[in-house]
Amino acid sequence: MPAGRRRPRRFVRRGEPLPALSGIAALSSVVGVLGLAIGTFVRHTAGAVAAVVSVPLLPSLCGPLLGGLRRWVAGAAPTAAPEKLTQTSDASPEAVGSLGAWPSLALVTGYTALALAGAALVLRRRDV
């Protein structure tokens, strides 16, 4: 590189754990709120725990049955977000779905927002 030119600075360098750490922290918070929304729907402790554990796994389990859509279904699953946030740079995108790490987190946040809106609606109608 010539003496007068400087290398452009990137916000995140490869191998830095800060983006993955902040993404996992945000994902953990979002999943906690998703559990609250599902618990509001179900109103039964054991049923809510079973739903929070099983519902996010359904797209990953049923994805292989859909043939060519498997990659998209697996990529839209809430369980794909932590895989993508922590994957190394040498992993292929096909290994964990079609979306990137941050769009996966945004998708899980959207699921949570929809679940919270539905929970608020159910709570208002049921517990007036």
Side-chain angles (χ1 to χ4, degrees):
M1 198 170 244
R5 299 184 78 191
R6 292 175 56 177
R7 210 178 255 173
R9 297 183 86 187
R10 288 194 281 170
F11 176 68
V12 177
R13 293 184 194 147
R14 285 188 180 192
E16 287 188 10
L18 187 60
L21 183 63
S22 60
I24 292 294
L27 181 68
S28 298
S29 301
V30 168
V31 169
V33 174
L34 180 63
L36 173 74
I38 291 175
T40 304
F41 272 123
V42 177
R43 291 181 67 177
H44 188 267
T45 305
V49 169
V52 168
V53 170
S54 64
V55 169
L57 291 175
L58 284 177
S60 297
L61 294 174
C62 296
L65 300 174
L66 299 174
L69 295 175
R70 179 182 71 193
R71 192 177 113 174
W72 290 100
V73 172
T79 55
E83 293 173 8
K84 292 175 187 176
L85 285 167
T86 58
Q87 85 179 21
T88 59
S89 60
D90 59 342
S92 65
E94 291 82 24
V96 289
S98 55
L99 294 175
W102 297 106
S104 295
L105 180 61
L107 187 65
V108 173
T109 304
Y111 292 154
T112 302
L114 286 174
L116 274 176
L121 183 68
V122 166
L123 187 66
R124 285 188 183 162
R125 288 188 179 179
R126 195 169 41 195
D127 295 341
V128 174

